[in-house]
């Protein structure tokens, strides 16, 4: 199967996009897949901390693009799951990154991985544009609130303009008792207003941010871990239930 580059994005910040990227990468690795997680959020990187590899960082994505190191030098392997690899974003903002250069790097990595997950910066800007230009599919992360849903709809339209036809919706942080907002009476309303096909629903768990802040993504258990394994299965084309609580 040809390696697909999957952009993990959102219309607004604070929806758990980076944590979703790390957890999905871990879940795919648990399923035996070779996964590369590439973070684009220059100056605000976090995936290295969440994945527990921050202490290993020497080189980053900008070092690869500027040819200050061989691409493999910037790739970090997870300590427990050797098939999960991470390329951290630059520690400082960078300008002038070309989508063609990044695509060339990703194509060079493709033969070695089953899945490449690209963590896009939140919002619609240069980082999003670059990610959308290299992606073959996208997951749009949304929380069930009206502002986030509207932004997700706009993000989906932008992805379509960039030619990303395979777009899926990931509803994150669903409260155990979701009663709906005035304009969002239920999850069907979230799906309808974003106009994207649902790939999964992740329940809210306040412990997740604590685990990830300590780099303990492998300690995540319970419904949230099962939900991400479910999303990983669906991403691979396997049939399974959504496991909506």
């Amino acid at each position: 199967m040809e390696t697909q580059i999957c952009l993990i994005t959102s219309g607004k910040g604070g929806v758990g996009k980076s944590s979703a990227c790390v957890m999905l990468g871990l879940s795919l690795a648990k399923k035996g897949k070779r996964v590369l997680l590439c973070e684009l959020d220059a100056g605000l990187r976090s995936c290295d901390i969440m994945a527990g590899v921050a202490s290993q960082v020497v080189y980053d994505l900008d070092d690869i693009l500027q040819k200050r190191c061989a691409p493999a030098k910037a790739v970090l392997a997870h300590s427990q799951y050797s098939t999960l690899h991470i390329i951290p974003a630059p520690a400082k903002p960078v300008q002038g990154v070309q989508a063609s250069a990044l695509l060339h790097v990703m194509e060079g990595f493709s033969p070695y991985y089953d899945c490449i997950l690209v963590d896009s910066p939140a919002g619609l800007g240069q980082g999003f544009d670059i990610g959308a230009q290299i992606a073959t599919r996208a997951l749009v992360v949304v929380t069930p609130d009206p502002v986030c849903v509207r932004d997700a709809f706009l993000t989906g339209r932008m992805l379509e303009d960039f030619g990303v036809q395979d777009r899926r919706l990931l509803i994150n942080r669903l409260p155990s008792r979701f009663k709906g907002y005035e304009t969002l009476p239920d999850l069907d309303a979230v799906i309808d207003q974003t106009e994207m096909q649902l790939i999964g629903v992740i329940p809210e768990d306040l412990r997740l941010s604590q685990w990830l802040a300590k780099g303990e993504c492998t300690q995540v258990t319970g419904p949230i871990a099962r939900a991400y394994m479910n999303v990983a299965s669906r991403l691979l084309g396997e049939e399974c239930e959504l496991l909506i609580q």
Side-chain angles (χ1 to χ4, degrees):
M1 181 178 67
E2 182 179 356
T3 302
Q4 293 201 27
I5 300 174
C6 182
L7 183 69
I8 313 296
T9 188
S10 64
K12 65 186 292 291
V15 301
K17 170 187 54 59
S18 294
S19 60
C21 193
V22 170
M23 290 303 302
L24 182 55
L26 176 64
S27 298
L28 288 165
K30 287 181 177 180
K31 293 177 70 66
K33 300 301 179 181
R34 300 167 299 165
V35 186
L36 177 64
L37 195 164
C38 178
E39 185 178 21
L40 297 185
D41 205 353
L44 294 172
R45 73 184 183 204
S46 59
C47 291
D48 60 325
I49 292 177
M50 295 180 183
V53 298
S55 63
Q56 303 176 36
V57 176
V58 176
Y59 300 107
D60 56 40
L61 180 60
D62 191 49
D63 290 315
I64 296 177
L65 295 174
Q66 299 301 325
K67 299 183 179 180
R68 292 190 286 263
C69 71
K73 290 278 190 179
V75 177
L76 308 175
H78 191 273
S79 60
Q80 292 180 248
Y81 290 89
S82 60
T83 59
L84 175 59
H85 295 168
I86 298 97
I87 298 177
K92 299 179 180 180
V94 295
Q95 299 295 327
V97 177
Q98 299 295 317
S100 58
L102 182 59
L103 179 59
H104 178 72
V105 171
M106 294 299 102
E107 288 177 340
F109 281 119
S110 290
Y112 306 99
Y113 295 97
D114 299 303
C115 305
I116 296 178
L117 304 180
V118 178
D119 182 29
S120 165
L124 304 179
Q126 180 191 34
F128 171 84
D129 291 351
I130 292 171
Q133 289 178 66
I134 71 170
T136 55
R137 69 191 311 179
L139 297 189
V140 179
V141 182
V142 61
T143 53
D145 70 81
V147 173
C148 192
V149 168
R150 180 184 61 188
D151 290 349
F153 167 77
L154 296 174
T155 301
R157 284 286 179 261
M158 290 291 292
L159 289 167
E160 185 176 19
D161 291 343
F162 276 108
V164 184
Q165 300 302 319
D166 187 355
R167 303 181 298 277
R168 296 291 184 269
L169 182 70
L170 178 64
I171 299 177
N172 195 27
R173 296 177 180 166
L174 181 70
S176 57
R177 295 182 179 180
F178 177 61
K179 297 179 180 179
Y181 294 80
E182 182 180 354
T183 57
L184 296 173
D186 51 37
L187 290 184
D188 287 336
V190 176
I191 299 167
D192 291 343
Q193 291 187 32
T194 57
E195 297 185 1
M196 283 179 279
Q197 183 178 344
L198 183 67
I199 195 171
V201 177
I202 308 300
E204 185 175 45
D205 189 333
L206 298 179
R207 297 173 299 171
L208 180 63
S209 60
Q210 298 173 3
W211 279 318
L212 295 181
K214 297 177 182 179
E216 298 175 347
C217 58
T218 57
Q219 300 301 310
V220 179
T221 58
I224 197 167
R226 293 194 295 272
Y228 273 114
M229 288 297 291
N230 179 281
V231 174
S233 295
R234 293 171 68 87
L235 191 66
L236 296 172
E238 302 170 6
E239 293 188 6
C240 58
E241 296 180 306
L242 285 172
L243 294 178
I244 298 175
Q245 296 289 310

